[in-house]
């Protein structure tokens, strides 16, 4: 038998797969998939991986091995689009040397920026919007002689990818999309355009996927949806949480991102009632000014948001609350900005994702004149970031001396005696366990110190 050592990397991998593959003699194809943007994109990428792996494709991190290169893109802010275009440009350069390779663009930019992409990167062979990933196989089977590029775009209001599961996760934690699209029309947001109207996946299909994941060793799931608590199919969202709470082997349930309008008493009650639902609520506020919230078309006022926060705290006194904030929305005055800071003081969020407003062509806000310049916008964002850091440190310091449980994710690669884990509130903890342990295990710890944004626990 030939020793594989003398072969080059590609030949060696193909040789290995020829031995391993059930279709011996037929070398498998390799795909490279890069993902930008939100958790929904990460989830979609694992759906795409699942589809490709069913067709015999194998993943690779090495561009030079790939027969198929896919980039899953994000349009939520201009920066995300620029980064993906730069990546596509460098891949196109690589493709010119290997013309047999196929290059595909997936996700929100395929939907939103088709013309720009094809004009700037003519090497692109296919564009698939978020509702068309199940057509990937059919597209790949088409003979090369057919005209390129191929595109499948536009929202499909029936698409929930029912029956399709993501590629097997090697992690203890996995995402499960329960809803696609969004029916809100927040003035700054491109998502309703790129991902189409809201659809809820049937509970049976969700439960099948969760059981499948638990069977593969997953112990924590995060339910995903643009307005995840607006999910409603054959059950209410609260009852879905209760059903998931009965799944054997599932240790933790999270969800993101809920919309304040749907954070009802019954959702809070279900969270308090089901021990595996984690006391962490990531509830985007976007602004603390009622006038800006109205201009953003968020459908709640500052006072209503604060009432919902009190409701959450009443049912879940130990819950962590995190948020998203946008600085410098068109028309935002200095007073509005102060309202955002005072809102942050009132809630003391555990953490926030904070963004400078980025106009998205095609959204209602893109037609509004920007009333502050880039430097002022950045200065407001910096004030928000500084205040959030103070609150984050205060919140973490309040944990000092408390007993909690962390879900172990894995050892520190540089210091294998140290393990990373998360509290139910999603705080990151480092610990040096006294006994051998495994990822996915729940470990009781006492919080002993804080370094930056990381807590240190004693096992
Ligand atoms: N500019 C800045 N931030 C935005 N977000 C969505 N659209 C924009 C935009 N045009 C932020 C919101 C949302 C998060 C996912 O991204 O805060 O909650
Ligand atoms: Fe965008 Fe608003 Fe829908 Fe969230 S709720 S995805 S911010 S439109």
């Amino acid at each position: 038998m030939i020793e594989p050592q003398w072969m080059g990397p590609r030949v060696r991998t193909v040789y290995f797969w020829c031995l391993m593959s059930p279709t011996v003699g037929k070398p498998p194809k390799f795909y490279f998939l890069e993902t930008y943007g939100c958790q929904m994109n990460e989830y979609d990428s694992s759906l795409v991986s699942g589809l490709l792996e069913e067709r015999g494709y194998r993943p690779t991190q090495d561009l030079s091995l790939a027969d198929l290169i896919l980039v899953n893109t994000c349009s939520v802010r201009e920066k995300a689009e620029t980064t993906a275009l730069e990546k596509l440009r460098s891949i196109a350069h690589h493709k010119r040397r290997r013309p047999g390779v196929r290059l595909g663009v997936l996700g929100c930019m395929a939907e939103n920026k088709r013309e720009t992409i094809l004009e700037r990167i003519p090497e692109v062979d296919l564009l698939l919007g978020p509702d068309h990933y199940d057509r990937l196989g059919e597209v790949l089977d088409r003979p090369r002689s057919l005209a390129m590029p191929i595109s499948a775009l536009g929202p499909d209001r029936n698409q929930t990818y029912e029956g399709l599961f993501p590629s097997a996760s090697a992690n203890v934690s996995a995402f499960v999309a329960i809803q696609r699209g969004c029916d809100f029309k927040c003035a700054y947001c491109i998502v309703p355009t790129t991902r189409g109207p809201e659809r809820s996946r049937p509970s049976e299909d969700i439960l099948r996927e969760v059981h499948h994941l638990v069977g593969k060793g997953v112990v924590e799931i995060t339910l995903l949806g643009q307005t995840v608590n607006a999910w409603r199919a054959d059950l209410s969202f609260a009852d879905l949480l209760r059903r998931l709470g009965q799944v054997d082997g599932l240790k933790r349930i999270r969800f993101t991102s809920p919309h304040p309008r749907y954070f009802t008493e019954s959702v809070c009650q279900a969270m308090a009632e089901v021990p595996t639902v984690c006391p962490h609520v990531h509830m985007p506020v976007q602004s603390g000014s009622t006038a800006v919230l109205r201009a953003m078309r968020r459908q709640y006022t500052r006072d209503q948001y604060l009432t919902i926060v009190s409701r959450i705290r009443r049912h879940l006194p130990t819950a962590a609350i995190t948020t998203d904030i946008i600085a410098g929305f068109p028309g935002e005055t200095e007073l509005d900005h102060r309202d955002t800071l005072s809102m942050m003081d009132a809630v003391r969020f555990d953490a926030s994702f904070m963004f400078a407003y980025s106009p998205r062509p095609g959204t209602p806000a893109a037609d509004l004149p920007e009333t502050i310049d880039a430097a002022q916008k950045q200065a407001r964002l910096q004030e928000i970031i500084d205040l959030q850091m103070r609150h984050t440190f205060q919140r973490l310091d309040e944990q000092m001396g408390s007993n909690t449980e962390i879900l172990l994710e894995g050892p520190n690669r540089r210091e294998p005696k140290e393990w990373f884990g998360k509290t139910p509130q999603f705080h990151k903890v480092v610990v040096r366990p006294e006994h051998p342990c495994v990822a996915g295990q729940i470990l009781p710890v006492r919080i002993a110190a804080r370094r930056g944004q990381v807590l240190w626990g004693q096992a």
Side-chain angles (χ1 to χ4, degrees):
M1 196 151 79
I2 323 166
E3 287 293 318
Q5 280 84 342
W6 58 270
M7 302 172 180
R10 179 178 168 84
V11 179
R12 196 160 41 211
T13 322
V14 171
Y15 168 89
F16 174 73
W17 277 112
C18 285
L19 294 180
M20 298 302 289
S21 169
T23 50
V24 177
K26 195 174 166 204
K29 294 193 163 190
F30 289 88
Y31 73 93
F32 172 98
L33 171 55
E34 178 124 333
T35 306
Y36 293 94
C38 63
Q39 293 135 324
M40 191 63 92
N41 261 17
E42 273 182 49
Y43 176 84
D44 281 354
S45 284
S46 60
L47 273 184
V48 166
S49 298
L51 265 163
L52 289 171
E53 285 160 29
E54 249 173 45
R55 300 193 143 248
Y57 277 79
R58 306 286 168 203
T60 176
Q61 308 281 341
D62 183 350
L63 264 186
S64 64
L65 287 182
D67 305 282
L68 171 67
I69 301 173
L70 297 171
V71 181
N72 195 356
T73 57
C74 169
S75 279
V76 83
R77 279 168 294 278
E78 192 183 355
K79 178 80 177 46
E81 290 194 340
T82 325
T83 315
L85 275 173
E86 272 163 22
K87 180 74 193 183
L88 281 168
R89 209 168 284 130
S90 91
I91 293 175
H93 180 72
H94 165 84
K95 195 188 157 187
R96 263 172 252 138
R97 279 178 280 131
R98 292 193 53 216
V101 171
R102 286 198 202 199
L103 171 58
V105 182
L106 312 178
C108 292
M109 273 179 84
E111 207 56 73
N112 186 36
K113 284 277 150 60
R114 180 181 187 275
E115 305 311 326
T116 315
I117 292 172
L118 292 179
E119 194 187 298
R120 300 208 194 150
I121 301 146
E123 289 80 3
V124 167
D125 301 299
L126 62 122
L127 295 114
L128 296 182
D131 284 343
H132 301 280
Y133 300 141
D134 51 354
R135 295 193 51 197
L136 195 55
E138 166 206 334
V139 166
L140 293 176
D141 288 343
R142 283 203 213 170
R144 290 196 154 271
S145 52
L146 284 183
M148 293 286 178
I150 301 166
S151 41
L153 302 170
D156 174 353
R157 33 176 75 250
N158 297 319
Q159 180 62 277
T160 58
Y161 293 116
E162 195 168 341
L164 207 72
F165 291 163
S167 121
S169 165
N171 298 327
V172 294
S173 185
F175 294 128
V176 177
I178 64 168
Q179 180 198 54
R180 301 188 73 85
C182 180
D183 274 351
F184 282 79
K185 297 271 179 288
C186 300
Y188 51 81
C189 186
I190 194 72
V191 168
T193 314
T194 56
R195 288 190 165 268
E198 180 191 308
R199 285 139 280 166
S200 288
R201 210 172 145 191
S203 68
E204 278 311 306
D205 198 39
I206 296 169
L207 281 155
R208 254 199 307 276
E209 181 166 328
V210 170
H211 282 290
H212 169 81
L213 288 167
V214 171
K216 301 258 174 215
V218 166
V219 294
E220 177 184 68
I221 55 158
T222 303
L223 307 176
L224 295 182
Q226 305 300 336
T227 52
V228 69
N229 53 342
W231 180 91
R232 190 173 183 99
D234 42 325
L235 300 173
S236 66
F237 181 68
D239 285 340
L240 178 67
L241 293 181
R242 291 190 178 95
R243 285 281 281 119
L244 290 167
Q246 292 163 2
V247 173
D248 272 347
L250 187 57
K251 297 180 186 170
R252 284 186 174 181
I253 302 164
R254 302 182 181 278
F255 55 88
T256 195
S257 291
H259 191 282
R261 280 222 17 188
Y262 289 88
F263 228 105
T264 56
E265 288 282 343
S266 76
V267 169
C268 291
Q269 268 158 13
M271 286 185 76
E273 203 180 291
V274 183
T276 45
V277 174
C278 291
H280 171 211
V281 175
H282 180 78
M283 186 166 71
V285 64
Q286 314 297 5
S287 167
S289 149
T290 294
V292 173
L293 289 170
R294 192 180 312 121
M296 286 177 164
R297 307 185 189 176
R298 282 294 287 174
Q299 305 202 20
Y300 53 85
T301 62
R302 170 192 175 94
D303 285 348
Q304 285 168 335
Y305 187 92
L306 288 171
T307 305
I308 299 159
V309 168
S310 319
R311 180 183 294 160
I312 295 167
R313 295 244 155 92
R314 181 158 36 83
H315 287 274
L316 302 151
T318 63
I321 302 183
T322 57
T323 200
D324 293 349
I325 302 174
I326 299 177
F329 185 77
E332 184 190 77
T333 63
E334 187 57 31
L335 263 179
D336 293 322
H337 171 59
R338 299 275 137 218
D339 278 350
T340 296
L341 298 174
S342 72
M343 174 78 141
M344 293 172 71
D345 278 327
V347 181
R348 286 201 311 129
F349 295 106
D350 289 72
S352 302
F353 294 117
M354 297 156 281
F355 312 102
Y357 168 70
S358 165
R360 306 285 58 226
T363 60
D367 298 331
L368 303 174
E370 289 210 67
T371 41
I372 52 170
D373 62 26
Q376 284 170 303
K377 205 193 281 184
Q378 205 49 45
R380 286 186 188 174
L381 176 63
Q382 196 55 50
E383 262 191 284
I384 292 172
I385 294 172
D386 292 344
L387 181 58
Q388 182 56 60
M389 285 321 294
R390 285 208 290 282
H391 290 162
T392 298
F393 291 156
Q394 282 171 11
R395 285 284 185 209
L396 292 175
D397 289 342
E398 283 163 15
Q399 314 294 315
M400 228 44 70
S402 66
N403 293 320
T404 184
E405 289 185 329
I406 60 171
L407 175 67
L408 291 177
E409 291 165 4
N412 181 351
R413 253 189 249 139
R414 271 173 290 158
E415 184 49 83
K417 283 190 188 135
E418 288 171 3
W419 278 65
F420 292 115
K422 296 239 173 59
T423 66
Q425 285 80 357
F426 210 63
H427 296 137
K428 190 171 182 179
V429 178
V430 178
V431 68
R432 277 175 174 260
E434 285 161 7
H435 305 290
C437 49
V438 289
Q441 182 184 333
I442 301 261
L443 190 73
V445 295
R446 177 188 292 267
I447 302 301
R450 169 176 74 77
R451 286 193 204 152
Q453 295 190 53
V454 179
L455 292 172
W456 283 65
Q458 283 165 349

